[in-house]
């Protein structure tokens, strides 16, 4: 999928104006490609996920974020459209659909033509800023151009956010972009044995002088001594998850805690989000197409469903912790090359577990890329954490027991978010391109 593949993250101690412009244009083009896949003007005014804004918001949001951040550091003096720069600025994180409906009920969204025109004008203005601003290196968190890098990386996050929403639209409302390529799949799945990961000490956190962009939550440090543990060789596959369903996993309250059971019952959940029941079997909803269920691709579920599967497997079965993930993923010589993983839109879908030998470490596959890996940890700051003044509520407002971490990235994770230090999080009922592997303690 070369024509759609994302550019690699910039080194902010050695880049120049042209490199920044190319990186910006690549992000913008990727988002344009996704938005142009929508069929019908009214599709933009649908919110495919009842916990997210309608798609028209996301069409305007990234452009507004650039304008507002560039103004805040003095790289831009004049507003493009003050009303839009309020309307499209703030995202949402509701617990229930009613909260979202109440928050946006009074909003009047502009027409699709007007919003595309705003994007077009914003693109020209931002391009001019990049071309005319003198670049002094390195670009660090206190540098005015950090605002530009923040906006580019923010847009790259929203490419992934929008992909999750587009995937929830009715199939007749989307059209697959040219050159979009899904991974292959096989009619069989490999045996998913438990592999021992030997104990070790891990150091979490991104160094403050790292030459790549980072979000506030990535920085800091923590040293953790990790005990040996057992982890499934592969992410749990669609084939494995079928057994959970056939065993009555969605009907047995023993596998769910009170909160997740209420969510499942209220929303009448009977199977993973992107499985489509058909004649006693299931089809699969990829980004733009319905297809046969790819048995050897990782199952994509939310945190509630991942935990229910663990309980079904036995009381000592659980998800990986952040420290365990780092021990398994980085304590050996796992490649730093993003091209070695199903990341950065190398493919337009998940891929068969274990397909990429380069993604193997400690005998475990797909530790990076393919789909995000849900963890047992709630989002938490590392020592030295400090919110960035340009985005005070990026992460600090989510330090609670309502947001769980996920690491490793997925097939559409791109830019700096595809680097090893990116720490992601979501509510347990939210859907992302995310799966899990199972872990057990070693009994001594």
């Amino acid at each position: 999928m070369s024509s759609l593949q994302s550019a690699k993250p910039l080194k902010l101690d050695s880049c120049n104006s042209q490199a920044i412009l190319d990186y910006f244009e690549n992000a913008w083009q990727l988002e344009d490609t996704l938005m142009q896949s929508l069929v019908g003007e009214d599709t933009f005014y649908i919110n495919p996920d009842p916990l997210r804004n309608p798609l028209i918001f996301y069409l305007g949001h990234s452009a507004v974020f650039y304008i507002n951040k560039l103004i805040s550091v003095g790289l831009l003096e004049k507003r493009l459209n003050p009303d839009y720069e309020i309307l499209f600025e703030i995202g949402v994180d509701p617990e229930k659909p009613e909260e979202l409906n109440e928050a946006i009920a009074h909003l009047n969204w502009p027409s699709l033509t007007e919003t595309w025109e705003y994007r077009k004008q914003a693109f020209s203005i931002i391009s001019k800023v990049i071309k005319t601003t003198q670049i002094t290196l390195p670009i660090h968190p206190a540098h005015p151009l950090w605002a530009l890098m923040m906006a580019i990386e923010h847009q790259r996050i929203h490419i992934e956010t929008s992909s999750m929403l587009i995937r929830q639209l009715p199939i007749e409302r989307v059209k697959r972009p040219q050159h979009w390529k899904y991974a292959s799949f096989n009619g069989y799945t490999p045996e998913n044995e438990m592999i021992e990961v030997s104990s070790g000490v891990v150091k979490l956190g991104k160094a403050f002088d790292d030459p790549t962009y980072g979000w506030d939550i990535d920085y800091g440090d923590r040293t953790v001594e990790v005990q040996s543990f057992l982890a499934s060789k592969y992410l749990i596959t669609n084939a494995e998850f079928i057994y959970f369903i056939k065993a009555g996993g969605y009907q047995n309250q023993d596998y769910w805690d009170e909160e997740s059971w209420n969510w499942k019952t209220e929303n009448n959940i009977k199977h993973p989000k992107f499985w489509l029941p058909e004649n006693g079997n299931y089809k699969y909803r990829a980004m733009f197409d319905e297809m046969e269920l790819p048995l050897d691709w990782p199952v994509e579920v939310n945190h509630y469903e991942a935990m229910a599967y663990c309980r079904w497997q036995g009381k000592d079965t659980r998800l990986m912790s952040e420290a365990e993930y780092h021990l398994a993923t980085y304590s050996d010589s796992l490649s730093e090359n993003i091209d070695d993983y199903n990341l950065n839109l190398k493919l337009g879908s998940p891929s068969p577990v274990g397909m990429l030998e380069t993604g193997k470490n400690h005998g475990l596959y797909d530790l990076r890329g393919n789909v995000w890996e849900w963890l047992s940890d709630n989002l938490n700051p590392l020592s030295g954490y400090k919110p960035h003044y340009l985005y005070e509520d990026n992460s600090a407002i989510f330090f609670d027991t309502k947001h769980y971490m996920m690491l490793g990235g997925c097939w559409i994770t791109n830019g700096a978010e595809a680097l090893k230090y990116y720490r992601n999080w979501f509510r347990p009922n939210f859907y992302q391109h995310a799966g899990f592997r199972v872990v057990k303690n070693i009994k001594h």
Side-chain angles (χ1 to χ4, degrees):
M1 127 165 235
S2 55
S3 64
L4 286 174
Q5 196 159 352
S6 169
K8 290 185 180 178
L10 290 177
K11 291 287 180 73
L12 301 182
D13 57 354
S14 58
C15 58
N16 57 30
S17 294
Q18 189 58 52
I20 295 173
L21 185 64
D22 290 346
Y23 191 60
F24 158 70
E25 289 180 346
N26 172 256
W28 201 279
Q29 179 191 3
L30 288 173
E31 190 172 55
D32 273 357
T33 298
L34 280 186
M35 291 299 177
Q36 288 161 356
S37 74
L38 304 187
V39 175
E41 182 168 345
D42 59 334
T43 299
F44 284 85
Y45 298 89
I46 295 172
N47 53 337
D49 189 317
L51 297 172
R52 296 288 198 184
N53 271 312
L55 286 156
I56 191 73
F57 169 82
Y58 297 98
L59 183 65
H61 179 57
S62 294
V64 159
F65 192 95
Y66 278 99
I67 299 297
N68 287 342
K69 296 308 176 194
L70 292 177
I71 285 175
S72 68
V73 295
L75 288 174
L76 199 58
E77 291 182 9
K78 192 177 173 187
R79 292 206 164 273
L80 178 54
N81 184 321
D83 292 337
Y84 284 17
E85 282 136 26
I86 295 171
L87 177 64
F88 288 108
E89 182 178 30
I90 305 296
V92 291
D93 180 48
E95 279 195 73
K96 299 198 173 208
E98 299 77 48
E99 293 176 28
L100 173 65
N101 295 337
E102 189 177 324
I104 67 173
H106 66 288
L107 300 180
N108 292 312
W109 301 107
S111 74
L112 182 58
T113 302
E114 290 168 331
T115 310
W116 274 113
E117 182 59 29
Y118 179 87
R119 270 182 76 90
K120 185 179 175 183
Q121 293 174 8
F123 178 83
S124 297
I125 289 169
I126 300 158
S127 298
K128 185 177 179 183
V129 169
I130 296 171
K131 291 172 184 174
T132 58
T133 301
Q134 185 176 356
I135 309 294
T136 55
L137 299 176
I139 300 172
H140 49 72
H143 195 298
L145 282 171
W146 194 260
L148 173 66
M149 301 316 302
M150 177 181 283
I152 295 173
E153 297 300 347
H154 168 266
Q155 184 171 36
R156 291 180 175 280
I157 289 174
H158 274 282
I159 289 166
E160 187 168 330
T161 304
S162 295
S163 75
M164 177 51 54
L165 300 179
I166 291 168
R167 195 176 171 190
Q168 295 179 63
L169 282 168
I171 201 77
E172 64 273 9
R173 289 188 177 272
V174 297
K175 182 182 179 184
R176 176 163 30 95
Q178 190 178 6
H179 306 301
W180 192 277
K181 184 183 173 213
Y182 301 123
S184 60
F185 54 90
N186 307 298
Y188 60 88
T189 54
E191 183 188 352
N192 201 355
E193 60 186 308
M194 300 296 284
I195 304 287
E196 180 173 346
V197 178
S198 300
S199 62
V201 176
V202 296
K203 190 174 185 303
L204 309 181
K206 183 168 187 150
F208 288 100
D209 60 354
D210 189 280
T212 56
Y213 179 84
W215 294 95
D216 53 13
I217 192 65
D218 305 335
Y219 292 106
D221 65 86
R222 179 184 300 151
T223 301
V224 184
E225 188 172 336
V226 183
Q227 301 301 313
S228 300
F229 62 95
L230 297 171
S232 59
K233 183 176 183 177
Y234 303 109
L235 294 161
I236 299 302
T237 62
N238 288 319
E240 289 174 282
F241 208 82
I242 287 174
Y243 289 107
F244 171 69
I245 294 175
K246 288 184 174 176
Y250 280 90
Q251 285 74 50
N252 191 332
Q253 196 167 351
D254 291 344
Y255 305 143
W256 307 77
D257 62 16
E258 183 180 2
E259 181 183 297
S260 59
W261 181 257
N262 289 341
W263 164 82
K264 184 203 75 67
T265 305
E266 287 170 14
N267 295 282
N268 195 28
I269 307 296
K270 298 178 179 178
H271 51 76
K273 180 77 171 177
F274 300 109
W275 290 22
L276 310 170
E278 187 176 88
N279 301 325
N281 292 310
Y282 296 95
K283 293 189 79 173
Y284 176 83
R285 170 63 187 266
M287 270 293 295
F288 304 102
D289 298 274
E290 294 175 0
M291 60 175 70
E292 181 186 337
L293 182 66
L295 296 176
D296 56 350
W297 289 9
V299 68
E300 296 149 289
V301 292
N302 66 21
H303 197 273
Y304 285 153
E305 292 165 306
M307 285 301 300
Y309 183 95
C310 288
R311 294 186 191 100
W312 173 64
Q313 288 280 292
K315 291 192 186 303
D316 58 343
T317 305
R318 57 183 177 81
L319 301 177
M320 231 186 233
S321 70
E322 181 181 18
E324 287 171 335
Y325 172 87
H326 274 264
L327 180 66
T329 309
Y330 301 118
S331 61
D332 224 341
S333 55
L334 197 63
S335 168
E336 287 288 326
N337 186 356
I338 289 173
D339 288 342
D340 287 338
Y341 311 104
N342 185 4
L343 286 165
N344 235 33
L345 278 161
K346 179 176 187 169
L347 293 165
S349 71
S351 48
V353 296
M355 182 180 86
L356 298 173
E357 282 291 328
T358 45
K360 180 182 179 184
N361 202 38
H362 287 292
L364 310 183
Y365 284 88
D366 296 303
L367 287 159
R368 291 186 67 184
N370 205 348
V371 295
W372 290 96
E373 183 161 344
W374 280 112
L375 303 180
S376 58
D377 307 63
N378 291 119
L379 183 66
N380 60 88
L382 302 173
S383 298
Y385 168 83
K386 185 180 178 185
H388 194 279
Y389 75 96
L390 287 173
Y391 201 168
E392 294 276 357
D393 60 355
N394 172 57
S395 57
I397 60 174
F398 305 114
F399 299 155
D400 54 31
T401 58
K402 297 178 180 179
H403 295 82
Y404 285 89
M405 292 187 66
M406 53 173 68
L407 292 180
C410 73
W411 54 271
I412 200 170
T413 306
N414 64 97
E417 290 68 50
L419 297 172
K420 65 185 273 189
Y421 297 108
Y422 184 56
R423 304 173 78 221
N424 201 4
W425 68 96
F426 274 93
R427 288 188 184 273
N429 57 324
F430 268 47
Y431 288 99
Q432 199 59 14
H433 308 288
F436 66 105
R437 77 180 74 235
V438 295
V439 170
K440 292 185 177 184
N441 295 334
I442 294 176
K443 293 174 179 170
H444 298 287

